[in-house]
Every structure is written in C-alpha cells, then in structure tokens.
C-alpha cells in the first residue's frame, strides 16, 4: 500500500470531476488501449494451450472483453458495497494463467472455471477482514510470488514467439518467419518504450503488436477467413463449458487470489495517491469485494479471474486524469467491443509469433515488477535473502522438475506442481517461522533483548519488512 501522502495532488481532473465529453471519450479509449493486450492475451494463450477449447478463441476473447467492461464499470460506479468508486480498470489477470493452463490440461476447462468460481470468495473475505491478515503478506512474500508469475510464463511466451503454442513438436516451430515477426514486435516495443515519452510509451506493447500484425499480413501468414464469417452481434452464453470442482485446483486458485488481492491494494493506493491522499478503508474494501465478485461473475460467463490493471494506475498518474467517469467510459467501450464478434475474430487471427513477441515483454515485466517490489521495500539482509533464495529455488524447482512429485497423489501434484503455490507457500511460512519478520510466534527484532541485524555491523536498525509499503 502507498505510504502516507503529503497532501499534494498531481491531477487535472479529480475522482468526481467530469471532463467535457470531447476530452472524456478519447481519454477513456486511451485506458482501453493501455490494457487491451494484457486483457485478451490470457484467453488467447489459454485457448492455444488447452485442447478442449481449441477453436473457441474468438468466443473467449469476447467474454474477456465483456467481463472486463462490466468489472471496470462496477469499480467506478459501485453496486452497494461492491466497488471502490474509483478509476480502477479491471481485466483478465496473468497471475492465474500458468496454473489454470495446468488445471485445464489435467482436469478440463470446466475445472478452470469451477476453481475460479469457488475460490473467488477469498478476495471477498480479504475485503472485510483486511487488517487481520495483511501483515502476513509483506512485499517480500508478494514480490516473490509476482516474480514467479513472470518466470513461469516465460516458456509459454517462447513457444508463442517460435510460432507454435503447442510446443517444439509443432510444424514451423522456430522458423525464421516466426522468429522475425516476434523479433519485430519486441524491437518496436522496446524502442517506443525506452526512446519515446508520453502516450506512445504507455501503449508501446500495443503498437508493437499492431506493427507485427501488419507485417504478418504482408507476408501472407494471417488467415482472416474467420473474421468475415464472424457476426456483428453476439449474446454471452453463461456456463458454456460447465463447471467442475477439483479440490487441488481450488486451493491453487485460492492462493493466487490472495496475491492478486494484495496487488489490488497496491493499485488502489497508487491510484488514490495521485489525488494527494491515501485510500480509505471503504475504498479498499469495495475494491477487493469487486475483485472477488466480478471474478465469480467472470467464471460464470467463461472468463478468467479479473483484477485491477497496474498499467492503468500508471496512466492515471501520468496523465493527471483521475476521473472515475473517464474510466467508466473505458469500461463501456470494452463492453461494446465484447458484443461484436468481429473484434474477437480479428484478435484471434493474430499469428502466435506476433502475440509471442509482445507476451515475452509482458511476462518479463511481471518479473521486473516483482523484483522492484522487493528492492524498493525490503532490506535483503541474511534473513530476507534466505527466504528469497529458498522460495525461488523450491518454486522453480517443481516447475523445472515436476517429476519430483510423481510419488504423491495427483491432487498433491496439481497443487504443489505450481511454482506459484510451492514458492509462495514457502515464502509465507518462512517469513512466519524465521525470526525478524514481525509476524508469527517466534522472536522478532522487536523482542526485548534481541538486537536487530545491522548492515556491515554499523549499528543501524534495519527497517521491518513487514511494515514496508507497496507502491505498485
């Protein structure tokens, strides 16, 4: 959560301000552009990785757009206690992608949506009991999980960049055409992101993907037959794939809800801090309730769990436009796009290599954001370095060598075969049992007679990592 604010506002339009329509509409569309790829990439990748929904890409993209639109509108214009009443843009969360691909391949797509539905109340409980558990998820723990999210998605990004989501055995895997398209997207994105300022920098990934798409079309590797066949209007089909409830899948998703809930807290703090104040308890509670309720809503309507999008927090701070009415317009645009199948078909026709070039950057930046969360808020003394190293080793270990769990029941393999769960649980437990973290039953640096560790024996007290702030 953001640190105490000094009262200085950087906004041109505050939360309750209503910019003129001529300004509000393009500003709302700008929010859609900033989050569009991040919202549609997870269903695209899921459809390519889980055999039971191959060919359903257009439909899944449409559902992701519709649910993101509704969720964003609920955050901006709450329904009862559900919603922060803030300019919070919602979208499909990458955090769930890796584990849910594994769940989908093992148990089927119905288990994906069943787990997302049953575990969603975790964030609702977070909203009403935030103060009771928050100390157990300091930046050290959440940062480790965020880094693992990025690292475990890299192989998927590489498969797409090589031109085949199915993996190395697929035809054309690693061809010069595919690698060239992925490289073009990557280069354009990095150049815009690092050498330009303003709006081009904010939507650099989107522009990189667009350039790659055009290049792929020029090379004749884009099949647009599905676009012409797609209709103009569609109606959502709830529970199209059904629901199945696998205990190991539910526990896995529940743990990830805890982490994305902490990310939402950081996003809400970062958004409100632009206005010169801290977020209120009511705003935090409403935002977390919306995360949980709308993720359950998404599961019913065939979409992956939704959470707040950090890139749009950056956009609020960058543009100085914190109006929830502007974000509401963005939510409306997402909703309209979701009801037009041709939009989903155009996105679905994107070659794997083009998506892969952008996805690699997104996944790498997820890792970077986790590393930044730790380096900015945690002192890497002997205790914290041990927790970081061991948690990452265990998490990546089961990802690289899942066979280590082959003697365990299949439910245990599913649960702890996830790097996020194994690494995250390790970080959570180690932070409790190793003295010095400010939580748990053991001695801490606050215990009388136990001197805190000091850097270079200089006698300077180290900051308590459990009280560090998250400026997401």
């Amino acid at each position: 959560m953001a640190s105490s604010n000094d009262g200085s506002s950087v906004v041109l339009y505050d939360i309750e301000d209503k910019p003129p329509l001529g300004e509000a509409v393009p500003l709302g569309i700008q929010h859609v552009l900033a989050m569009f790829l991040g919202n549609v990439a997870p269903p695209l990748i899921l459809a390519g990785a889980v055999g039971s929904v191959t060919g359903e890409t257009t439909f899944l993209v449409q559902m992701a757009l519709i649910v993101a639109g509704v969720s964003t509108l609920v955050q901006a214009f709450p329904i009862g206690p559900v919603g922060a009443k803030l300019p919070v843009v919602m979208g499909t969360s990458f955090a769930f992608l890796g584990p849910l691909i594994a769940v989908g391949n093992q148990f089927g797509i119905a288990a994906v949506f069943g787990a997302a539905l049953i575990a969603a109340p975790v964030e609702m409980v977070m909203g009403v009991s935030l103060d009771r558990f928050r100390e157990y998820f300091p930046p050290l723990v959440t940062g480790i999980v965020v880094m693992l999210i990025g690292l475990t998605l890299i192989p998927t990004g590489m498969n797409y960049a090589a031109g085949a989501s199915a993996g190395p055995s697929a035809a054309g895997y690693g061809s010069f055409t595919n690698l060239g398209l992925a490289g073009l997207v990557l280069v354009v994105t990095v150049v815009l992101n690092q050498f330009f300022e303003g709006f081009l920098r904010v939507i650099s990934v989107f522009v990189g993907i667009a350039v790659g798409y055009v290049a792929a079309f020029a090379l004749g590797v884009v099949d647009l037959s599905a676009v012409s066949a797609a209709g103009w209007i569609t109606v959502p089909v709830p529970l199209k794939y059904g629901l199945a409830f696998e205990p190991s899948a539910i526990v896995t998703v529940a743990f990830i809800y805890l982490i994305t809930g902490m990310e939402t807290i950081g996003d809400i703090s970062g958004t409100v801090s632009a206005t010169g104040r801290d977020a209120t308890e009511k705003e935090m509670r409403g935002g977390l309730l919306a995360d949980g309720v709308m993720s359950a809503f998404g599961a019913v309507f065939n979409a992956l769990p939704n959470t707040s999008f950090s890139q749009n927090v950056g956009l609020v701070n960058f543009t100085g436009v914190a109006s929830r009415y502007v974000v509401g317009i963005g939510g409306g645009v997402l909703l309209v796009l979701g009801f037009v199948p041709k939009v989903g078909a155009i996105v679905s026709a994107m070659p794997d290599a083009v998506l892969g070039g952008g996805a690699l950057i997104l996944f790498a930046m997820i890792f970077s954001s986790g590393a930044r969360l730790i380096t900015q808020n945690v002192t890497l003394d002997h205790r914290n370095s041990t927790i970081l190293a061991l948690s990452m080793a265990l998490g990546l270990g089961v990802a690289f060598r899942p066979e280590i769990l082959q003697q365990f029941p299949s439910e245990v393999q599913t649960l702890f075969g996830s790097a996020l769960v194994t690494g995250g649980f390790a970080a959570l437990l180690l932070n409790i049992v190793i003295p010095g973290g400010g939580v748990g039953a053991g001695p801490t640096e606050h215990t009388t007679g136990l001197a805190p560790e000091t850097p270079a024996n200089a006698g300077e007290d180290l900051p308590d990592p459990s009280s560090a702030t998250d400026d997401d």
Side-chain angles (χ1 to χ4, degrees), residues 89-93 123 260-261 263-264 267 291 295 305-309:
V89 176
M90 299 280 285
T92 310
S93 174
E123 280 204 74
T260 56
E263 288 186 290
T264 295
D267 287 342
D291 256 26
S295 290
N306 268 232
T307 190
S308 58
F309 266 33

Side-chain angles (χ1 to χ4, degrees), residues 346-383:
I346 290 172
V347 175
S348 302
M350 183 189 309
D352 283 353
V354 174
L355 177 61
L360 268 177
I361 296 175
L362 289 174
F363 298 160
M365 291 308 295
I366 292 172
F367 168 79
S368 177
S369 65
R372 185 171 63 250
L373 185 64
I374 289 177
T375 57
Q376 290 183 349
N377 298 288
V378 180
T379 300
L380 290 177
D381 55 20
H382 179 65
R383 172 192 185 275

Side-chain angles (χ1 to χ4, degrees), residues 16 39 42 59-60 108 152 246 259 302 314 366 374 397 404 411 422 425 438:
E16 296 299 328
N39 185 56
F59 178 77
L60 291 173
T152 54
E246 295 291 339
I259 302 303
N302 318 288
I366 292 172
I374 289 177
I404 196 172
E411 293 81 7
T422 297
F425 269 132

Side-chain angles (χ1 to χ4, degrees), residues 46 50 96-105 111-113 115-116 249 253 304-305:
L46 180 76
V50 179
F96 294 85
L97 182 58
L100 288 182
I101 287 175
V103 169
N105 283 323
V112 168
F113 297 120
V253 174
L304 298 184

Side-chain angles (χ1 to χ4, degrees), residues 26 49 112 133 159 161 203 225 228 236 247 257 300 309 352 370 391 395 461:
V112 168
F133 70 89
N159 281 339
I203 63 166
S225 58
S228 58
Y257 272 124
V300 172
F309 266 33
D352 283 353
S391 301
D461 288 354

Side-chain angles (χ1 to χ4, degrees), residues 146-181:
V146 173
M147 285 195 295
L148 286 170
I149 291 170
L151 288 175
T152 54
L153 286 171
I154 293 295
T156 300
M158 290 299 286
N159 281 339
Y160 271 84
S165 57
S169 61
Y173 189 92
S175 70
F176 288 124
T177 298
N178 288 327
L179 295 180
L181 287 171

